[in-house]
């Protein structure tokens, strides 16, 4: 029998995500923090063989708080309350590993992606350094319930917000906000850049967006890499369509800038970084609309 029932997480995850909007939206810029959720449903903790401190290693801790100031500047912010190891909205809806589940997956599930192979599908198999979340197979209905009750509503709301900006301004820009460990792991202790911006190698947004993000951050004194090691995930790839005036870019922040990675506590650098990200939002909002609107052919 399953420990998880439809609605069993509602007490913990009500609401499952928040959308914080300013009174007046100044420009077509939307910020999204899909992995900062830190509310772990009790039935999930009972199913997991890992302590919550280990589960939190996949969390983008405090990223929603780092970007909270963008609302004050006139831009909406959406963020999840559920953790990514419970359901990951930065994946395809059915990117699932059949070895994890008791029961048959839908025929349309993507069971062969690189992310599934690495244990990081829509329902993750591992966290941290490939530590297995579950000690046994979990019922396939659990996975499908999480997708129906959390993943799909999240994307419906995100798409609705993004589409409204596009209708109102003729273009829209999605900033997908993430954090990364300060090193790649035990095998590679080299420090990472302070920021990695991902534009799917120039395919998910116009160059003006990437340039503003990179040059603004460099001007603040940060080290910045583009597309390595993160080029952008499902959200960046599937929401970005520059030819239609829809732009998406992923921003990865080195956790050492703002938190103690072992204790999950903010450090003295948090406030400065939050102020810098608010200033970055202002710069993004000043990109001329004609640089963001749908491409027009030379013949027009």
């Amino acid at each position: 029998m399953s420990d998880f029932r439809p609605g069993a997480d509602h007490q913990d995850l009500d609401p499952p995500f928040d959308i914080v909007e300013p009174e007046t939206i100044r420009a077509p810029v939307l910020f999204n923090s899909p992995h900062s959720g830190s509310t772990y449903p009790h039935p999930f903790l009972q199913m997991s063989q890992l302590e919550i401190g280990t589960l939190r290693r996949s969390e983008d801790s405090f990223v929603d708080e780092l970007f909270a100031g963008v609302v004050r500047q006139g831009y909406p912010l959406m963020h999840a309350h559920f953790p990514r190891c419970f359901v990951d909205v930065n994946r395809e809806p059915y990117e699932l590993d059949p070895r994890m589940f008791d029961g048959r997956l839908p025929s349309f599930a993507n069971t062969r992606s690189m992310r599934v192979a690495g244990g990081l599908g829509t329902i993750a198999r591992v966290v941290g350094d490939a530590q297995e979340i579950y000690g046994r197979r979990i019922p396939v209905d659990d996975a499908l319930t999480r997708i129906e009750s959390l993943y799909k509503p999240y994307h419906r709301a995100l798409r609705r917000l993004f589409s409204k900006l596009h209708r109102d301004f003729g273009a829209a820009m999605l900033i997908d906000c993430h954090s990364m460990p300060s090193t790649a792991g035990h095998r590679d202790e080299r420090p990472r850049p302070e920021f990695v911006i991902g534009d799917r190698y120039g395919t998910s947004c116009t160059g003006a967006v990437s340039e503003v993000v990179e040059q603004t951050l460099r001007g603040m004194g940060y080290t910045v890499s583009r597309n390595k090691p993160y080029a952008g995930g499902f959200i960046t790839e599937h929401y970005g369509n520059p030819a239609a005036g829809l732009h998406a870019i992923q921003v990865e922040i080195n956790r050492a800038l703002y938190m103690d990675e072992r204790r999950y506590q903010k450090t003295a650098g948090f406030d400065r970084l939050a102020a810098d990200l608010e200033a970055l939002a202002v710069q993004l909002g000043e990109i001329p609309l004609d640089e963001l609107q749908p491409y027009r052919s030379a013949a027009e």
Side-chain angles (χ1 to χ4, degrees):
M1 293 289 290
S2 168
D3 293 324
F4 185 84
R5 295 283 186 275
D9 61 335
H10 289 181
Q11 183 177 356
D12 298 317
L13 293 169
D14 187 13
F17 54 85
D18 273 334
I19 297 167
V20 189
E21 296 188 82
E23 288 188 18
T24 303
I25 295 178
R26 292 179 49 191
V29 188
L30 167 62
F31 290 83
N32 178 49
S33 179
H35 288 164
S36 54
S38 58
T39 301
Y40 290 76
H42 183 65
F44 169 63
L45 293 177
Q46 289 183 314
M47 294 171 72
S48 172
Q49 64 179 352
L50 300 177
E51 297 294 326
I52 191 166
T54 304
L55 292 171
R56 292 194 69 186
R57 293 176 67 180
S58 68
E59 219 182 85
D60 286 349
S61 301
F62 311 121
V63 167
D64 54 336
E65 296 179 51
L66 278 173
F67 282 91
V70 306
V71 180
R72 183 166 50 243
Q73 296 301 328
Y75 311 113
L77 170 66
M78 182 170 176
H79 62 95
H81 291 303
F82 52 87
R84 70 178 296 192
C85 63
F86 187 60
V87 59
D88 192 341
V89 294
N90 199 25
R91 299 289 182 262
E92 298 173 24
Y94 296 97
E95 211 165 343
L96 301 170
D97 185 345
R99 296 169 297 174
M100 287 180 59
F101 304 108
D102 183 12
R104 186 182 295 276
L105 290 174
S107 59
F108 49 78
N110 179 354
T111 62
R112 297 178 178 273
S113 77
M114 291 294 292
R115 291 180 289 217
V116 166
L120 297 172
T122 317
I123 306 297
R125 178 171 53 81
V126 303
V127 295
D129 297 326
Q131 293 176 276
E132 298 275 345
I133 296 172
Y134 307 99
R136 57 181 172 83
R137 288 175 179 248
I138 63 174
V140 71
D141 285 350
D142 289 1
L144 301 181
T145 297
R146 297 180 205 183
I147 292 165
E148 290 296 329
S149 64
L150 298 172
Y151 181 102
K152 289 186 177 180
Y154 192 95
H155 278 282
R156 280 196 294 269
L158 183 59
R159 180 68 69 181
R160 187 162 53 243
L161 273 171
F162 200 38
S163 297
K164 185 177 188 304
L165 288 177
H166 189 251
R167 287 195 304 272
D168 291 348
F169 290 90
M173 194 189 321
L174 174 61
I175 315 302
D176 208 40
C177 310
H178 297 262
S179 69
M180 59 184 173
S182 56
T183 62
H186 297 306
R187 297 176 185 174
D188 183 359
E189 292 298 327
R190 291 174 298 175
R192 285 176 163 168
E194 291 168 317
F195 283 86
V196 177
I197 59 174
D199 60 10
R200 305 294 299 184
Y201 297 94
T203 63
S204 67
C205 64
T206 184
V209 175
S210 303
E211 284 299 312
V212 165
V213 175
E214 182 169 357
Q215 296 309 316
T216 300
L217 293 172
R218 287 190 185 280
M220 293 170 173
Y222 295 106
T223 57
V224 183
S225 172
R226 195 183 295 195
N227 292 312
K228 294 180 181 179
Y230 304 108
F234 174 85
I235 291 172
T236 309
E237 181 179 4
H238 288 267
Y239 282 76
N241 181 4
L246 297 166
H247 307 274
I249 191 167
Q250 180 174 287
V251 176
E252 292 269 0
I253 305 169
N254 190 313
R255 292 174 192 158
L257 285 173
Y258 70 92
M259 67 177 281
D260 182 321
E261 295 174 83
R262 294 183 180 220
R263 297 181 180 178
Y264 301 100
Q265 294 175 348
K266 300 174 190 174
T267 58
F270 183 93
D271 290 341
R272 179 210 161 184
L273 178 58
D276 286 345
L277 293 170
E278 192 172 333
L280 172 62
V282 172
Q283 293 300 310
L284 285 165
E286 292 179 355
I287 297 175
L289 273 177
D290 60 5
E291 295 190 34
L292 301 173
Q293 287 170 341
Y295 300 161
R296 305 190 187 282
S297 70
E300 290 184 298

